[in-house]
Short mmCIF file of all heavy atoms in Angstrom, two decimals:
data_model
loop_
_atom_site.label_atom_id
_atom_site.label_comp_id
_atom_site.label_asym_id
_atom_site.label_seq_id
_atom_site.Cartn_x
_atom_site.Cartn_y
_atom_site.Cartn_z
N ILE A 126 105.33 129.78 92.34
CA ILE A 126 104.35 129.41 93.36
C ILE A 126 104.17 127.90 93.25
O ILE A 126 103.76 127.40 92.20
CB ILE A 126 103.00 130.11 93.15
CG1 ILE A 126 103.17 131.64 93.08
CG2 ILE A 126 102.03 129.74 94.27
CD1 ILE A 126 101.92 132.36 92.61
N PHE A 136 100.61 126.67 99.49
CA PHE A 136 101.16 127.52 98.43
C PHE A 136 102.50 128.05 98.94
O PHE A 136 102.53 128.75 99.96
CB PHE A 136 100.23 128.71 98.13
CG PHE A 136 98.84 128.32 97.68
CD1 PHE A 136 97.92 127.80 98.58
CD2 PHE A 136 98.45 128.51 96.36
CE1 PHE A 136 96.64 127.46 98.18
CE2 PHE A 136 97.17 128.18 95.95
CZ PHE A 136 96.26 127.64 96.86
N VAL A 149 101.01 130.17 101.81
CA VAL A 149 99.61 130.11 102.26
C VAL A 149 99.30 128.66 102.61
O VAL A 149 99.78 127.74 101.93
CB VAL A 149 98.65 130.59 101.13
CG1 VAL A 149 97.20 130.46 101.56
CG2 VAL A 149 98.98 132.03 100.73
N TRP A 194 85.05 122.96 91.80
CA TRP A 194 85.14 124.34 91.32
C TRP A 194 85.51 125.30 92.44
O TRP A 194 86.12 126.35 92.19
CB TRP A 194 83.83 124.75 90.65
CG TRP A 194 83.60 124.00 89.37
CD1 TRP A 194 82.66 123.05 89.12
CD2 TRP A 194 84.39 124.10 88.18
NE1 TRP A 194 82.79 122.56 87.85
CE2 TRP A 194 83.84 123.19 87.24
CE3 TRP A 194 85.48 124.87 87.80
CZ2 TRP A 194 84.37 123.03 85.97
CZ3 TRP A 194 86.01 124.71 86.54
CH2 TRP A 194 85.45 123.81 85.63
N GLY A 195 85.19 124.92 93.69
CA GLY A 195 85.62 125.74 94.81
C GLY A 195 87.13 125.78 94.93
O GLY A 195 87.73 126.85 95.13
N TYR A 196 87.78 124.63 94.75
CA TYR A 196 89.24 124.60 94.85
C TYR A 196 89.90 125.17 93.61
O TYR A 196 91.00 125.74 93.70
CB TYR A 196 89.74 123.18 95.15
CG TYR A 196 89.80 122.93 96.64
CD1 TYR A 196 88.67 122.52 97.33
CD2 TYR A 196 90.96 123.18 97.36
CE1 TYR A 196 88.70 122.33 98.70
CE2 TYR A 196 91.01 122.99 98.73
CZ TYR A 196 89.88 122.57 99.40
OH TYR A 196 89.91 122.40 100.76
N VAL A 197 89.28 125.04 92.45
CA VAL A 197 89.79 125.72 91.26
C VAL A 197 89.81 127.23 91.51
O VAL A 197 90.79 127.93 91.22
CB VAL A 197 88.94 125.39 90.02
CG1 VAL A 197 89.28 126.34 88.86
CG2 VAL A 197 89.18 123.95 89.58
N GLY A 198 88.72 127.74 92.09
CA GLY A 198 88.66 129.16 92.41
C GLY A 198 89.65 129.56 93.49
O GLY A 198 90.28 130.63 93.43
N LEU A 199 89.82 128.67 94.49
CA LEU A 199 90.78 128.93 95.56
C LEU A 199 92.19 129.07 95.01
O LEU A 199 92.90 130.04 95.31
CB LEU A 199 90.72 127.81 96.59
CG LEU A 199 91.78 127.81 97.68
CD1 LEU A 199 91.45 128.85 98.73
CD2 LEU A 199 91.91 126.44 98.33
N VAL A 200 92.61 128.08 94.21
CA VAL A 200 93.97 128.09 93.67
C VAL A 200 94.17 129.29 92.74
O VAL A 200 95.16 130.03 92.86
CB VAL A 200 94.27 126.78 92.92
CG1 VAL A 200 95.61 126.87 92.20
CG2 VAL A 200 94.27 125.61 93.90
N GLY A 201 93.24 129.49 91.83
CA GLY A 201 93.37 130.61 90.90
C GLY A 201 93.37 131.95 91.60
O GLY A 201 94.18 132.84 91.28
N GLY A 202 92.49 132.11 92.59
CA GLY A 202 92.38 133.39 93.29
C GLY A 202 93.61 133.69 94.14
O GLY A 202 94.13 134.82 94.12
N ILE A 203 94.11 132.70 94.88
CA ILE A 203 95.28 132.93 95.72
C ILE A 203 96.52 133.21 94.87
O ILE A 203 97.30 134.11 95.17
CB ILE A 203 95.51 131.74 96.67
CG1 ILE A 203 94.42 131.73 97.75
CG2 ILE A 203 96.90 131.79 97.29
CD1 ILE A 203 94.52 130.59 98.73
N CYS A 204 96.69 132.45 93.80
CA CYS A 204 97.85 132.68 92.94
C CYS A 204 97.80 134.07 92.30
O CYS A 204 98.84 134.74 92.18
CB CYS A 204 97.93 131.60 91.86
SG CYS A 204 98.42 129.97 92.49
N ALA A 205 96.61 134.52 91.93
CA ALA A 205 96.48 135.85 91.35
C ALA A 205 96.84 136.93 92.37
O ALA A 205 97.53 137.92 92.04
CB ALA A 205 95.05 136.06 90.84
N ARG A 206 96.44 136.73 93.61
CA ARG A 206 96.77 137.71 94.65
C ARG A 206 98.25 137.72 94.98
O ARG A 206 98.84 138.76 95.28
CB ARG A 206 95.94 137.44 95.90
CG ARG A 206 94.46 137.81 95.74
CD ARG A 206 93.67 137.61 97.03
NE ARG A 206 92.29 138.05 96.85
CZ ARG A 206 91.87 139.30 97.04
NH1 ARG A 206 92.75 140.23 97.39
NH2 ARG A 206 90.61 139.62 96.87
N ILE A 207 98.88 136.53 94.95
CA ILE A 207 100.32 136.47 95.20
C ILE A 207 101.07 137.22 94.09
O ILE A 207 101.99 138.01 94.36
CB ILE A 207 100.80 135.01 95.29
CG1 ILE A 207 100.25 134.34 96.56
CG2 ILE A 207 102.33 134.94 95.28
CD1 ILE A 207 100.53 132.85 96.64
N ARG A 208 100.67 136.99 92.85
CA ARG A 208 101.31 137.70 91.73
C ARG A 208 101.14 139.22 91.88
O ARG A 208 102.07 139.99 91.66
CB ARG A 208 100.70 137.24 90.41
CG ARG A 208 101.09 135.84 89.95
CD ARG A 208 100.62 135.63 88.53
NE ARG A 208 100.95 134.31 88.02
CZ ARG A 208 100.06 133.32 87.91
NH1 ARG A 208 98.80 133.50 88.30
NH2 ARG A 208 100.42 132.15 87.43
N GLU A 209 99.93 139.64 92.26
CA GLU A 209 99.66 141.07 92.42
C GLU A 209 100.50 141.65 93.55
O GLU A 209 101.07 142.75 93.42
CB GLU A 209 98.17 141.27 92.70
CG GLU A 209 97.77 142.73 92.88
CD GLU A 209 96.30 142.89 93.18
OE1 GLU A 209 95.58 141.86 93.24
OE2 GLU A 209 95.86 144.03 93.39
N GLU A 231 90.93 124.49 84.77
CA GLU A 231 91.30 125.69 84.04
C GLU A 231 92.82 125.65 83.86
O GLU A 231 93.47 124.70 84.29
CB GLU A 231 90.88 126.96 84.82
CG GLU A 231 89.38 127.19 84.84
CD GLU A 231 89.01 128.49 85.53
OE1 GLU A 231 89.91 129.14 86.10
OE2 GLU A 231 87.83 128.86 85.50
N LEU A 233 95.39 126.41 85.44
CA LEU A 233 95.89 126.82 86.75
C LEU A 233 97.40 126.74 86.85
O LEU A 233 98.02 127.54 87.55
CB LEU A 233 95.27 125.94 87.85
CG LEU A 233 93.77 126.07 88.10
CD1 LEU A 233 93.35 125.08 89.17
CD2 LEU A 233 93.41 127.48 88.52
#
Side-chain angles (χ1 to χ4, degrees):
I126 305 169
F136 300 73
V149 177
W194 292 111
Y196 271 85
V197 167
L199 172 77
V200 172
I203 288 179
C204 288
R206 288 183 176 273
I207 291 173
R208 288 190 180 102
E209 180 181 359
E231 289 184 353
L233 293 178

